Amino acid sequence: MTLVIMAAGMGSRFGGLKQIEPIDDYGHFIIDYSIYDALKVGFTKVVFIIKKENYDIFRETIGRRVENLIDVEYVFQELENIPEGYSVPHGRVKPWGTAHAILCCKDVVKENFAIINSDDFYGRDAYKVMYEFLNKNQNDSNYNEYAMVGYKVKNTLTENGSVKRGVCGIQDGYLTELIESKIEEVNGKLMATSLEDERTFEVSEEDTVSMNLFGFTPKIFDHLEKRFPEFLDSHKNDLDTCEFLMPTLVFEQIEDGSSRVSVLKTDAVWQGVTYREDKPKVVSEIKKLVDMGEYKEGLWK
């Protein structure tokens, strides 16, 4: 089973990999704990999606720690990785988006796989429920069977400001809606504001949100490969800024009836450094887990 880690944005967000701040006394990053959790529940391969210019430092600081414990592949998300006959518009700097990042993996991922963000701490139970789903034989299904780990809102918040989360609509255990929203506490209530149309609505602590931990079969690559040139054709007027995004592509398949997405509930608690002020809490929470024996002290020692 493969874990795909989207890490192409690490350098730009943190000003270069050398500036990423460790979250324990041994110099480990959140991404180390993600791989450790994945290994513990049964994943056997990790694919890092990175920028080509970050390869050497990424491998030296992260890759070499785990190369003797799990199969490792590196995939480069490059602007030039587009279909023949198309060209990168002048002035385009940012990557083409998350769906493009996943499409870049099609030559190295041949089995069911999960995708995660590089800088989110998901909690081991999230990997466990995803692994169990991906490990099931689903060849007799009439659908492309995908999955998403659903978190309780209260387990994904920070004390230091608003967060961006996908608020989920669910029916019979399957995803029906994903409203990308900004969530923050306002006058004692949790209010979500849609990033698409700016409508505001209240959410409860127990409502389900996405943290972008999805599971797919390799069939997803056929859809991405077909849709990418169509996407480029439809965005001729904004090719310098448009993004080929995974949630959009997934919902296309839900709406045409070819796929369905199981929502895998978890009580895992998310940790992440959305704001610089979040770091002390992340460090403290992970140290508690180490002290409880959930993680080895020194992790890879």
Side-chain angles (χ1 to χ4, degrees):
M1 200 74 65
T2 297
L3 178 68
V4 174
I5 303 180
M6 294 188 290
M10 286 182 76
S12 58
R13 282 198 300 275
F14 289 90
L17 289 178
K18 288 182 178 177
Q19 277 66 52
I20 297 178
E21 297 181 27
I23 45 94
D24 66 17
D25 293 335
Y26 296 87
H28 297 116
F29 309 134
I30 286 176
I31 195 172
D32 288 288
Y33 285 85
S34 297
I35 299 167
Y36 188 91
D37 280 338
L39 267 169
K40 281 290 186 183
V41 302
F43 284 85
T44 56
K45 179 178 176 179
V46 61
V47 175
F48 297 114
I49 305 175
I50 62 174
K51 291 181 179 179
K52 186 180 291 184
E53 61 264 30
N54 287 338
Y55 171 74
D56 289 336
I57 187 170
F58 193 98
R59 188 178 181 199
E60 288 299 320
T61 53
I62 297 171
R64 287 198 185 280
R65 295 173 181 166
V66 300
E67 286 175 350
N68 64 328
L69 300 170
I70 191 170
D71 289 340
V72 175
E73 295 265 12
Y74 298 90
V75 168
F76 303 133
Q77 184 182 14
E78 299 294 306
L79 281 176
E80 294 75 21
N81 190 358
I82 53 179
E84 188 175 348
Y86 295 85
S87 59
V88 179
H90 178 72
R92 176 91 194 193
V93 176
K94 67 187 301 186
W96 290 106
T98 51
H100 177 254
I102 300 305
L103 181 56
C104 291
C105 298
K106 66 183 178 66
D107 293 331
V108 299
V109 177
K110 304 298 182 183
E111 60 180 353
N112 294 353
F113 65 99
I115 64 170
I116 64 168
N117 297 327
S118 61
D119 49 1
D120 286 315
F121 178 93
Y122 289 93
R124 188 169 303 159
D125 185 65
Y127 295 95
K128 180 177 180 290
V129 297
M130 180 58 76
Y131 179 85
E132 290 171 350
F133 175 88
L134 294 174
N135 202 39
K136 288 189 291 190
N137 184 352
Q138 297 160 346
N139 292 333
D140 59 348
S141 174
N142 295 322
Y143 300 90
N144 295 319
E145 296 285 359
Y146 305 146
M148 182 209 79
V149 176
Y151 284 75
K152 294 178 179 178
V153 170
K154 66 181 180 181
N155 290 336
T156 72
L157 302 176
T158 169
E159 300 170 352
N160 297 303
S162 64
V163 293
K164 291 181 181 178
R165 303 287 183 255
V167 181
C168 300
I170 305 168
Q171 183 175 350
D172 299 326
Y174 295 100
L175 187 67
T176 59
E177 188 176 35
L178 190 65
I179 306 172
E180 296 293 345
S181 308
K182 180 181 76 171
I183 299 177
E184 59 187 334
E185 186 174 330
V186 180
N187 297 326
K189 297 180 179 180
L190 288 174
M191 303 302 298
T193 302
S194 167
L195 299 181
E196 181 178 1
D197 57 19
E198 296 187 349
R199 64 187 173 95
T200 298
F201 54 98
E202 186 177 355
V203 294
S204 79
E205 291 186 338
E206 301 295 320
D207 282 344
T208 302
V209 293
S210 165
M211 294 300 303
N212 293 325
L213 201 175
F214 282 89
F216 296 104
T217 71
K219 291 180 181 178
I220 192 69
F221 295 123
D222 295 334
H223 185 62
L224 297 181
E225 202 158 27
K226 172 180 177 292
R227 286 289 290 115
F228 192 33
E230 296 172 354
F231 167 83
L232 294 173
D233 288 338
S234 66
H235 285 274
K236 289 180 179 178
N237 295 327
D238 63 340
L239 278 175
D240 54 338
T241 59
C242 61
E243 289 189 78
F244 190 49
L245 298 175
M246 209 64 208
T248 302
L249 276 294
V250 169
F251 270 96
E252 285 180 359
Q253 290 194 290
I254 292 176
E255 290 166 0
D256 69 19
S258 64
S259 305
R260 60 185 182 181
V261 179
S262 296
V263 179
L264 312 177
K265 297 292 187 69
T266 182
D267 288 322
V269 178
W270 167 88
Q271 302 288 343
V273 185
T274 305
Y275 304 94
R276 184 160 293 276
E277 294 82 2
D278 292 332
K279 186 188 173 184
K281 182 174 184 292
V282 174
V283 171
S284 173
E285 292 300 318
I286 289 180
K287 186 177 186 306
K288 288 179 185 176
L289 292 171
V290 173
D291 292 342
M292 291 166 54
E294 284 289 310
Y295 301 97
K296 286 170 56 181
E297 188 170 349
L299 210 58
W300 303 121
K301 288 198 304 181

